Amino acid sequence: MVPLIKGKSARESLEEQGLWDEYRGKFPFNPTRFDDQSLSVSSEQMTNDADLAYFGVISIGTPPQSFTVIFDTGSSNLWIPSIYCSSAACANHNKFNPGLSSTFKNAGKSLSIQYGTGSMTGFEGFDTVVVGGIPVKNQIFGLSQSEAPFMAHMKADGILGLAYPRLAASQATPVFDNMMTQHLVNQDMFSVYLTRNSEVGSMVTFGGVDPNHYYGQIAWIPLSSQMYWQITVDSVTVNGQIVACNGGCQAIVDTGTSNIVGPQADISSMARAVGAYSANGDNVVNCNSINNMPAMVFHIHGQAFTLPASTYVRQSTYYGCRTGLQSSNSDLWILGDIFIRQYYSIFSRAQNMVGLALAR
C-alpha cells in the first residue's frame, strides 16, 4: 500500500499568491490527454491539471533516493527530474542522481512526453524502484533534462503511470506490468481510495482491495478498450432527465485528472441542469445553494453512480464555488478525482475491468 498525501493543489497555491489569473492566461488548461497520433510517435499527452492534489512517495536506486509522484491511471510512463535538468521546474523538486546509484543502467534512449502546454524531455534508465515497500527490479523510467514551466507549480516531483503498456511513450514497460511479471503482487489489480477532505488517508493498494475503504458490493465494468482504463457510460441524468452522453459515450477512469471532463455541449448541458453559470472559464454556483442542487447520475453497465452536489462543487477561498465540470474538444470523457472520491476504484488487469464501490 502507498499512502497518498492530499496537499495543496497548484491552483490553491497560485490563488493564495494572487497569481492564478496570470497563470491561467499563460497555461490554459488542456485536458485533452489523447490524440491518436500519440500512439505512433513516442509522446504521450498529459494534462497540466492545476487542481491535482494527491501524491505518494517512491524511491529509486541503491541506496534509495526518494520522490513524490502522482499515481496516474491516465498515463503509463514513470519519470522524475534528474540532476541534468536546469529548467525552473527542476529547481524546486527532488532530482535523481544516477551516479549515486550502484544499480542504475542507462537505457540509451531519449524520451519526450507532450503536455498540453509544453513537454518533458530527457532520457531513460533502468533501476530498482520501490513502491509501497515492493521492490521492482530493472524498472525503466524517464530522467528529465527539461520540463515545461507549469511543472514548477506542481507539488509532486514526477509521475507514475498506471495505464496499459500500449499508451507508454518509447514502449517503456509500466511499473505495474513489471510488478505482475516479477510476481510481486497477489492479484493483478490495484485499487485507489481518495479522501474527501483530510490530508491523510488516501491510498493506492497494489495487489488487491481494501474492504475498509468501501461499502456494499463492487460493480465490475468491462473495459471497452485496453489502453486507458476505458469504459462505456450509457447516459448522464439530472432529476431523471438525460442531460449528457445520450445514446452512450466512452470514458476513462483517471486518477491523474481532478475533475469530470467531457465534450463542450454535454458539459454545458450538465452545468445548466444543476444551475451553474459560466464565469472566468469555470462553471460557477452560489455557495449558499449547494444543499438544494441536484445530484448527477452516471449510468454505467446497468448501474447508477450518483454524485451529490457536495461532491462536484468545490469551494475556493478566493473564487467562490465552482463545479468540477470541464469541457474539452474530445469525445472521450474523463472521470477524475471527483468521481473516484465518491467511488472506490479497482483496476483489474487480470480481468480487464474496473470495479466501483461506494467509498467510505
Side-chain angles (χ1 to χ4, degrees), residues 20-57:
W20 172 244
D21 287 320
E22 183 193 341
Y23 172 94
R24 186 212 300 261
K26 265 194 220 158
F27 307 119
F29 176 68
N30 174 358
T32 315
R33 304 192 71 138
F34 13 74
D35 57 32
D36 287 336
Q37 295 80 45
S38 68
L39 300 184
S40 51
V41 298
S42 69
S43 75
E44 167 192 352
Q45 291 285 334
M46 288 203 48
T47 146
N48 55 314
D49 187 334
D51 288 311
L52 270 181
Y54 299 93
F55 39 84
V57 178

Side-chain angles (χ1 to χ4, degrees), residues 292-313:
N292 308 321
M293 287 169 61
M296 298 171 185
V297 183
F298 287 78
H299 299 269
I300 303 171
H301 203 58
Q303 303 217 29
F305 297 88
T306 302
L307 296 181
S310 58
T311 63
Y312 66 74
V313 174

Side-chain angles (χ1 to χ4, degrees), residues 187-191 208-209 214 216-223 229 231-232 300-303 305 344-357:
Q187 301 174 72
D188 291 346
M189 63 166 68
F190 58 91
S191 322
V209 298
Y214 66 90
Q217 295 295 305
I218 299 168
W220 288 103
I221 299 147
L223 297 188
W229 290 93
I231 57 177
T232 301
I300 303 171
H301 203 58
Q303 303 217 29
F305 297 88
Y344 184 68
S345 299
I346 304 154
F347 299 86
S348 169
R349 287 287 298 271
Q351 307 288 335
N352 295 312
M353 288 185 174
V354 167
L356 299 174

Side-chain angles (χ1 to χ4, degrees), residues 218-268:
I218 299 168
W220 288 103
I221 299 147
L223 297 188
S224 49
S225 162
Q226 294 167 29
M227 182 168 73
Y228 296 100
W229 290 93
Q230 185 173 330
I231 57 177
T232 301
V233 176
D234 304 319
S235 65
V236 181
T237 59
V238 173
N239 292 326
Q241 303 294 306
I242 295 182
V243 294
C245 183
N246 197 347
C249 55
Q250 292 299 300
I252 65 173
V253 184
D254 182 8
T255 57
T257 295
S258 48
N259 293 323
I260 300 240
V261 181
Q264 189 135 22
D266 275 351
I267 291 293
S268 299

Side-chain angles (χ1 to χ4, degrees), residues 9-338:
S9 68
R11 176 170 178 147
E12 288 167 327
S13 306
L14 289 158
E15 283 182 0
E16 276 175 14
Q17 299 164 53
L19 298 171
W20 172 244
D21 287 320
E22 183 193 341
Y23 172 94
R24 186 212 300 261
K26 265 194 220 158
F27 307 119
F29 176 68
N30 174 358
T32 315
R33 304 192 71 138
F34 13 74
D35 57 32
D36 287 336
Q37 295 80 45
S38 68
L39 300 184
S40 51
V41 298
S42 69
S43 75
E44 167 192 352
Q45 291 285 334
M46 288 203 48
T47 146
N48 55 314
D49 187 334
D51 288 311
L52 270 181
Y54 299 93
F55 39 84
V57 178
I58 64 168
S59 71
I60 303 179
T62 312
Q65 301 175 40
S66 292
F67 302 91
T68 56
V69 293
I70 292 162
F71 287 87
D72 178 19
T73 60
S75 70
S76 296
N77 289 76
L78 167 62
W79 69 264
I80 40 115
S82 81
I83 55 164
Y84 306 110
C85 172
S86 53
S87 306
C90 292
N92 62 353
H93 286 103
N94 294 311
K95 293 176 280 295
F96 182 71
N97 184 343
L100 297 180
S101 173
S102 61
T103 41
F104 177 81
K105 293 193 283 292
N106 192 326
K109 276 172 96 171
S110 63
L111 176 70
S112 163
I113 299 183
Q114 297 302 312
Y115 284 80
T117 53
S119 64
M120 182 289 281
T121 63
F123 65 100
E124 293 186 305
F126 294 93
D127 211 331
T128 301
V129 175
V130 179
V131 183
I134 302 171
V136 184
K137 293 201 163 61
N138 294 314
Q139 174 62 50
I140 193 164
F141 65 103
L143 294 83
S144 77
Q145 290 168 294
S146 75
E147 294 184 20
F150 80 84
M151 293 179 190
H153 300 286
M154 275 181 24
K155 280 282 183 283
D157 299 317
I159 292 174
L160 191 153
L162 290 167
Y164 280 76
R166 199 151 71 90
L167 189 62
S170 299
Q171 287 78 54
T173 305
V175 171
F176 194 69
D177 285 77
N178 277 327
M179 282 190 185
M180 294 190 292
T181 313
Q182 295 174 25
H183 306 295
L184 300 172
V185 283
N186 291 333
Q187 301 174 72
D188 291 346
M189 63 166 68
F190 58 91
S191 322
V192 178
Y193 173 73
L194 300 180
T195 52
R196 289 179 174 79
N197 298 311
S198 79
E199 292 178 8
V200 295
S202 300
M203 190 70 72
V204 182
T205 304
F206 289 99
V209 298
D210 184 341
N212 297 318
H213 286 322
Y214 66 90
Y215 297 109
Q217 295 295 305
I218 299 168
W220 288 103
I221 299 147
L223 297 188
S224 49
S225 162
Q226 294 167 29
M227 182 168 73
Y228 296 100
W229 290 93
Q230 185 173 330
I231 57 177
T232 301
V233 176
D234 304 319
S235 65
V236 181
T237 59
V238 173
N239 292 326
Q241 303 294 306
I242 295 182
V243 294
C245 183
N246 197 347
C249 55
Q250 292 299 300
I252 65 173
V253 184
D254 182 8
T255 57
T257 295
S258 48
N259 293 323
I260 300 240
V261 181
Q264 189 135 22
D266 275 351
I267 291 293
S268 299
S269 164
M270 287 168 74
R272 275 197 307 276
V274 300
Y277 59 95
S278 188
N280 292 332
D282 286 323
N283 285 304
V284 180
V285 298
N286 181 335
C287 294
N288 299 325
S289 59
I290 298 173
N291 293 334
N292 308 321
M293 287 169 61
M296 298 171 185
V297 183
F298 287 78
H299 299 269
I300 303 171
H301 203 58
Q303 303 217 29
F305 297 88
T306 302
L307 296 181
S310 58
T311 63
Y312 66 74
V313 174
R314 301 189 158 192
Q315 200 149 358
S316 141
T317 321
Y318 304 92
Y319 284 79
C321 288
R322 64 187 194 275
T323 69
L325 294 172
Q326 272 172 315
S327 60
S328 77
N329 50 11
S330 166
D331 289 335
L332 193 53
W333 287 70
I334 305 176
L335 302 176
D337 294 346
I338 284 178

